[in-house]
């Protein structure tokens, strides 16, 4: 699909009068982009954009975000409609294939995911090398990275069938790998997946059942989990997705690329925020301390931030947070937990922050992670597991974006340039003469 327009932007280098016409591209929606690929060749100039605040790194047909309006579309469909009317695997199919599945396609996809949910039995032994108190994200990173050693029959990245098999394997096995990390931390036996259950039910089953007593998964909690997975499935070129694309741009195998995405997601400014929200609530401790922490969050000399607030792209309510808030209420009703002190504290913190001039003027709204942590806690999922659940859902987006990158004829190995500010060329000093 051609995106070029007849419009250009003229860039003039005022120091030597050199000019270049920069072509503009238009996407389906959203701001136009300047195609600066010829800039260095014609002007001997690079651009400088730490954090990529104004840089588009690729073309994509998967997800669109309008951060000012609080809009999130997957393949053109608003997230609100997908969360209301689809299950997670339907959304996964949409992200991977570009269209919502019909009845037969849905049944075939669900069958394929269900049939791939067991992991190679040898992976079972891998876990025993970890300490029981390992962070689940460390385990996840290692086990997913190791999958290339187990499933090397399908890692020809240029073969569309191999790419599809790998995507299905990753999506299918991730719940098993994550639930096993939890079971290992408890010293409990691993629970094998059960094909009669839905994706979300099966995950909760592997997390909470034990061989001598099966936990009946509440339909309300399974639906809430499924919706949380939908809300985290993709979010265009965020840090972890860009990491997956960058790793994949060298031709690395897909399991290694997804492991790189998991590592990037772990940070508290990204997927680690859901865990950080709960840690922050514990740190605040009680409603009467909220004022003190809001003051700290506003203080430039204090590195404390209100976790679960603010977003690089959304300068309006995160549309996912609105759905998450509703899901949070449903879960708390089901579990009769409205009086839980930490949850009350979270609600009061949100109310105070949303009426504070600092947060209003900087357009800092609660993001998806503010509520997801509260829901996970209410469901009995330990704090250290929260970011792994984000990874579980985002595996779909990473896989779709990785495959789109491989198929894009414009894609090259990712190789940013830099503004070098180190020492200029200088004389080598022999060891004995150094001061
Ligand atoms: N608490 C207090 N002040 C904040 C916060 C916050 N949570 N977030 C941003 N600010 C201030 C920041 O100090 C800055 O002020 P000033 O303009 O006076 O320097 C201004 O708002 C803009 O912030 P920024 O850091 O330049 O914005 P960014 O786009 O680089 O960062 C962010 C976005 C999400 C990293 C940041 O808002 C943040 O650290 N939030 C807390 C962590 C969090 O909840 N992360 C989850 C993001 S959503 C899920 C995901 O994508 O993974």
């Amino acid at each position: 699909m051609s995106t070029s327009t007849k419009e250009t932007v003229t860039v003039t280098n005022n120091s030597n009068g050199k000019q270049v016409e920069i072509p503009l591209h238009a996407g389906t929606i959203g701001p136009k982009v300047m195609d600066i690929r010829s800039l260095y060749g014609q002007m001997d100039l690079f651009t400088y954009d730490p954090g990529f605040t104004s840089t588009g790194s690729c073309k994509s047909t998967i997800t669109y975000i309008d951060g000012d309006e609080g809009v999130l579309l997957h393949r053109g469909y608003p997230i609100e409609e997908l969360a209301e009317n689809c299950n997670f695997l339907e959304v996964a199919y949409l992200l991977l294939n570009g269209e919502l599945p019909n009845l037969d396609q849905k049944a075939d996809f669900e069958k394929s995911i269900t049939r791939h949910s067991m992991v190679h039995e040898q992976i079972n032994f891998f876990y025993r090398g970890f300490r029981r108190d390992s962070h689940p994200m460390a385990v996840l990173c290692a086990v997913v990275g190791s999958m290339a050693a187990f499933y090397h029959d399908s890692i020809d990245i240029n073969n569309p069938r191999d790419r599809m098999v790998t995507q299905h394997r990753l999506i299918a096995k991730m719940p098993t790998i994550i639930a096993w990390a939890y079971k290992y931390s408890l010293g409990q036996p691993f629970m094998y997946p059960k094909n009669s259950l839905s994706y979300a039910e099966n995950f909760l089953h592997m997390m909470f059942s034990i061989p001598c007593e099966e936990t009946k998964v509440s339909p309300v909690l399974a639906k809430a989990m499924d919706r949380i997975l939908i809300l985290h499935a993709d979010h265009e070129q965020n840090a972890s997705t860009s990491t997956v694309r960058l790793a994949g741009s060298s031709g690395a195998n897909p399991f290694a690329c997804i492991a790189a995405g998991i590592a990037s997601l772990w940070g508290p400014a990204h997927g680690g925020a859901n865990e950080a929200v709960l840690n922050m609530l514990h740190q605040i401790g009680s409603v009467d301390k909220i004022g003190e922490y809001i003051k700290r969050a506003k203080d430039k000399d204090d590195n404390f931030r209100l976790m679960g607030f603010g977003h690089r792209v959304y300068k309006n309510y995160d549309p996912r947070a609105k759905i998450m808030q509703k899901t949070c209420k449903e879960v708390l009703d089901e579990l009769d937990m409205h009086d839980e002190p930490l949850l009350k504290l979270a609600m009061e913190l949100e109310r105070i922050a949303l009426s504070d001039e600092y947060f209003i003027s900087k357009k800092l709204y609660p993001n998806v992670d503010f509520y997801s942590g509260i829901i996970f806690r209410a469901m009995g999922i330990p704090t250290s597991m929260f970011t792994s659940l984000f990874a579980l859902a985002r595996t779909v987006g990473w896989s779709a974006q990785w495959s789109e990158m491989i198929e894009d004829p414009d894609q090259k190995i990712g190789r940013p340039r830099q503004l070098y500010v180190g020492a200029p060329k200088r004389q080598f000093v022999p060891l004995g003469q150094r001061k």
Side-chain angles (χ1 to χ4, degrees), residues 269-270 300 305-309 311-312 358 362 367 369:
H270 192 10
K300 280 257 153 287
R305 280 192 166 197
L306 222 50
M307 301 314 285
F309 269 76
H311 198 275
R312 167 61 63 79
Y358 173 92
K362 292 190 185 299
N367 57 48
D369 289 320

Side-chain angles (χ1 to χ4, degrees), residues 64-104:
Y64 172 75
I65 302 174
D66 181 335
D68 294 323
E69 296 299 322
V71 170
L72 170 59
L73 309 178
H74 290 321
R75 304 285 192 182
Y77 295 106
I79 188 68
E80 294 82 355
E81 288 180 33
L82 294 173
E84 190 60 40
N85 301 304
C86 293
N87 70 21
F88 175 64
L89 288 185
E90 268 176 277
V91 175
Y93 184 97
L94 171 72
L95 289 166
L96 296 174
N97 300 293
E99 295 297 337
L100 284 165
N102 62 26
L103 280 173
D104 288 343

Side-chain angles (χ1 to χ4, degrees), residues 19-89:
Q19 279 196 337
V20 65
E21 295 287 306
I22 304 283
L24 290 188
H25 291 286
T28 329
I29 32 178
K32 290 182 181 146
V33 303
M34 293 164 52
D35 182 344
I36 57 163
R37 281 177 291 182
S38 64
L39 189 70
Y40 177 56
Q42 294 192 40
M43 296 283 270
D44 204 21
L45 291 175
F46 296 132
T47 55
Y48 178 61
D49 185 17
F52 308 117
T53 55
S54 298
T55 298
S57 59
C58 61
K59 288 202 294 282
S60 183
T61 59
I62 302 174
T63 292
Y64 172 75
I65 302 174
D66 181 335
D68 294 323
E69 296 299 322
V71 170
L72 170 59
L73 309 178
H74 290 321
R75 304 285 192 182
Y77 295 106
I79 188 68
E80 294 82 355
E81 288 180 33
L82 294 173
E84 190 60 40
N85 301 304
C86 293
N87 70 21
F88 175 64
L89 288 185

Side-chain angles (χ1 to χ4, degrees), residues 53 232 235 238-239 265 267-274 276-277 296-298 300 304-315 318 320 358-359 362 364 367-370 390 394:
T53 55
H232 285 89
H235 214 226
N238 54 81
L265 184 75
H270 192 10
N274 51 17
V277 169
R296 284 188 58 189
K298 297 194 282 190
K300 280 257 153 287
F304 176 81
R305 280 192 166 197
L306 222 50
M307 301 314 285
F309 269 76
H311 198 275
R312 167 61 63 79
V313 181
Y314 293 120
K315 301 302 167 198
D318 178 341
R320 302 168 302 169
Y358 173 92
F359 291 89
K362 292 190 185 299
L364 299 170
N367 57 48
V368 69
D369 289 320
F370 188 75
F390 193 153
R394 188 54 61 84

